């Protein structure tokens, strides 16, 4: 199966590429659609070394060039930065013209209602609506919240190397459950989903575990032997922060937008309780628990132990190599992850 991916060097894209390359039955031919400005990046050259075909793709360029690139491609996957998803529209149009059999738009996030809950999702749903408008076969894959952005820091500082700034604080009373996935499992889920006829023109929630923030803190305390300070942030304070930033209508490439997205994730997952398998079922998603009961996902407890043992890895580490011009985006991605 021929799979083209845009965002192949990103955090999500890189794990998808890795899983596709490692798959033996079926095998995948992987093409990384790469911005002309990124063709010489070390991360792109590394993909090439691993056997990925690197193809220059300018989303702002002529659509005929994109169409030509996609002729014969079975599946197109987008895993670009969440704030850039509207840039996908020309790629979607080209996929339709080229006869692509399935398009995965850039979702890969938490479960929420189509509009009004998450500013990022609002844009992703506009993209999905465009796909439906032109009658392009699709699959939406959401993955819950990554383990890697939900690990609080310990007073000793021993897991600072792997934890994100955003995991500092508990929303509301901390008892609301939400779906979580190890980012490293997303690729294997995607490899199954794109070869499964049951998932065509469907939304799929891929997830590993369902836990509340208090349960995450309890587990970390038990495994580390340390006592964590629990900084509860009332729901009203989160609502006020969201309203304050929304009033400024931040542009999707600004730091304010990233902060808004982060507060909205918090509110949606930890106050409203949107990010659950039950709400996903209500919204019409299929779930990987039902589709692939044999899938061997990584457990949250073993992930925490891995980090405590010093064997964890901070997400977005590869962005450390970005040139100075990308510093703002780099800082936002490394500390907040949207
Ligand atoms: N579930 C969760 O907990 C969670 C956490 C974080 C993110 N997410 C979601 O995961 C998805 C992917 O995000 P990510 O953080 O994995 O991505 P990321 O690491 O920020 O990756 C960005 C990738 O997209 C490419 N890219 C960015 N803008 C582009 C554009 N305009 N045209 C072409 N390529 C572009 C970059 O290519 P270059 O190499 O050319 O720069 C890079 O390969 C998003 O939908 C996001 O909302 C979910």
């Amino acid at each position: 199966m021929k799979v083209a991916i845009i965002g192949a060097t990103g955090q999500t894209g890189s794990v998808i590429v890795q899983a596709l390359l490692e798959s033996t039955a079926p095998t995948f031919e992987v093409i990384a659609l790469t911005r002309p400005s990124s063709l010489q990046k070390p991360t792109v050259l590394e993909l090439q070394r691993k056997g990925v075909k690197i193809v220059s793709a300018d989303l702002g360029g002529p659509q005929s060039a994109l169409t030509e690139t996609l002729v014969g491609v079975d599946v197109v996957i987008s895993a670009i930065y969440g704030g850039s998803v509207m840039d996908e529209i020309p790629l979607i149009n080209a996929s339709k013209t080229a006869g692509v059999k399935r398009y995965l738009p850039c979702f890969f996030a938490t479960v929420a209602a189509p509009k009004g809950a998450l500013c990022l999702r609002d844009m992703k749903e506009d993209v999905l609506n465009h796909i439906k408008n032109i009658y392009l076969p699709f699959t939406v894959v959401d993955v819950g919240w990554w383990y890697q952005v939900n690990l609080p820091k310990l007073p000793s500082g021993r897991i600072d190397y792997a934890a994100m700034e955003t995991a500092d604080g508990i929303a509301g009373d901390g008892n609301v459950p939400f779906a979580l996935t190890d980012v490293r499992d997303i690729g294997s889920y995607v490899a199954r989903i794109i070869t499964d006829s049951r998932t065509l023109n469907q939304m799929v929630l891929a997830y590993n575990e369902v836990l509340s923030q208090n349960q995450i803190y309890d587990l970390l305390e038990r495994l580390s032997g340390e006592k964590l300070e629990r900084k509860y942030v009332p729901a009203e304070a989160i609502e006020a922060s969201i309203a304050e930033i929304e009033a400024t209508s931040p542009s999707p490439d600004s730091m304010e937008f990233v902060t808004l997205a982060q507060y909205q994730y918090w509110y949606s997952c930890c106050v409203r309780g949107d990010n659950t398998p039950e709400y996903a079922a209500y919204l019409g998603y299929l779930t990987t628990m039902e589709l692939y009961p044999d899938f061997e996902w990584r457990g949250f407890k073993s992930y925490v132990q891995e980090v405590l043992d010093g064997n964890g890895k901070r997400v977005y580490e590869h962005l450390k190599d970005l040139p100075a011009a990308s510093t703002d985006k780099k800082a936002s991605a490394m500390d907040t992850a949207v």
Side-chain angles (χ1 to χ4, degrees):
M1 183 180 273
K2 221 170 170 175
V3 181
I5 175 160
I6 189 142
T9 57
Q11 185 58 60
T12 304
S14 57
V15 295
I16 294 174
V17 167
Q18 191 61 31
L20 297 181
L21 292 177
E22 283 170 6
S23 171
T24 49
T27 55
F28 297 95
E29 185 184 337
V30 185
I31 301 162
L33 305 172
T34 307
R35 303 192 246 204
S37 57
S38 300
L39 285 169
Q40 294 309 317
K41 274 187 180 176
T43 43
V44 174
L45 300 176
E46 175 65 12
L47 286 178
Q48 191 167 28
R49 206 186 50 74
K50 288 180 174 172
V52 174
K53 185 175 174 197
I54 308 298
V55 173
S56 175
D58 180 4
L59 298 184
Q63 199 183 299
S64 55
L66 290 174
T67 305
E68 214 170 288
T69 303
L70 295 176
V71 171
V73 168
D74 299 295
V75 177
V76 174
I77 301 173
S78 171
I80 64 175
Y81 164 61
S84 302
V85 294
M86 297 313 289
D87 295 355
E88 272 184 61
I89 300 291
L91 189 67
I92 290 166
N93 294 337
S95 298
K96 174 71 181 176
T97 313
V100 166
K101 299 190 189 84
R102 186 189 306 235
Y103 189 98
L104 270 65
C106 187
F107 272 67
F108 303 108
T110 60
V111 174
K115 292 274 181 165
L118 303 168
C119 57
L120 273 170
R121 189 168 193 107
D122 288 354
M123 296 194 298
K124 292 174 179 179
E125 293 284 350
D126 284 340
V127 171
L128 178 60
N129 195 55
H130 181 73
I131 289 172
K132 290 176 176 172
N133 237 322
I134 64 167
Y135 203 168
L136 176 67
F138 72 92
T139 303
V140 164
V141 179
D142 273 320
V143 298
W145 225 351
W146 298 347
Y147 290 173
Q148 283 79 0
V149 293
N150 275 287
L151 195 61
K153 292 183 174 178
L154 287 172
S156 65
R158 67 192 260 222
I159 62 168
D160 285 6
Y161 77 97
M164 305 286 279
E165 298 304 329
T166 44
D168 187 29
I170 296 179
D173 65 8
N175 290 324
V176 176
F178 52 90
L180 290 146
T181 303
D182 191 308
V183 69
R184 294 168 295 179
D185 287 332
I186 295 174
S188 309
Y189 280 127
V190 167
R192 289 252 191 138
I193 290 167
I194 62 175
T195 50
D196 187 343
S197 58
R198 295 173 299 173
T199 61
L200 194 62
N201 303 327
Q202 301 288 337
M203 298 194 298
V204 180
L205 169 62
Y207 74 100
N208 296 4
E209 301 226 35
V210 178
L211 293 166
S212 68
Q213 282 191 290
N214 279 333
Q215 286 174 318
I216 290 172
Y217 275 64
D218 291 346
L219 180 70
L220 185 55
E221 284 185 346
R222 206 166 62 242
L223 294 180
S224 68
E226 295 187 36
K227 187 87 190 142
L228 276 87
E229 186 192 348
R230 301 197 187 204
K231 298 180 210 158
Y232 290 96
V233 182
E236 298 72 30
I238 305 174
E239 283 167 16
S241 299
I242 291 172
E244 194 182 322
I245 306 175
E246 272 178 345
T248 68
S249 306
S251 125
D253 57 5
S254 66
M255 276 303 295
E256 291 71 27
F257 185 87
V258 172
T259 308
L260 172 63
Q262 188 57 40
Y263 276 122
Q264 288 182 335
Y265 272 131
W266 234 29
Y267 193 74
S268 171
C269 294
C270 305
V271 177
R272 281 179 47 88
D274 292 335
N275 182 34
T276 63
E278 292 73 24
Y279 192 53
Y282 164 80
L283 291 171
Y285 284 79
L286 304 173
T287 70
T288 49
M289 286 291 172
E290 297 155 353
L291 292 167
Y292 316 119
D294 61 319
F295 190 99
E296 292 181 8
W297 40 265
R298 293 169 171 87
F300 188 73
K301 187 176 170 195
S302 59
Y303 163 69
V304 174
Q305 192 59 57
E306 190 181 353
V307 174
L308 287 169
D309 292 343
N311 299 322
K313 205 173 162 210
R314 200 173 198 265
V315 280
Y316 299 105
E317 276 295 304
H318 59 293
L319 292 180
K320 276 184 175 165
D321 300 331
L322 285 181
S326 306
T327 306
D328 280 358
K329 165 72 194 313
K330 173 182 166 184
S332 68
M334 290 187 69
D335 286 334
T336 57
V338 298

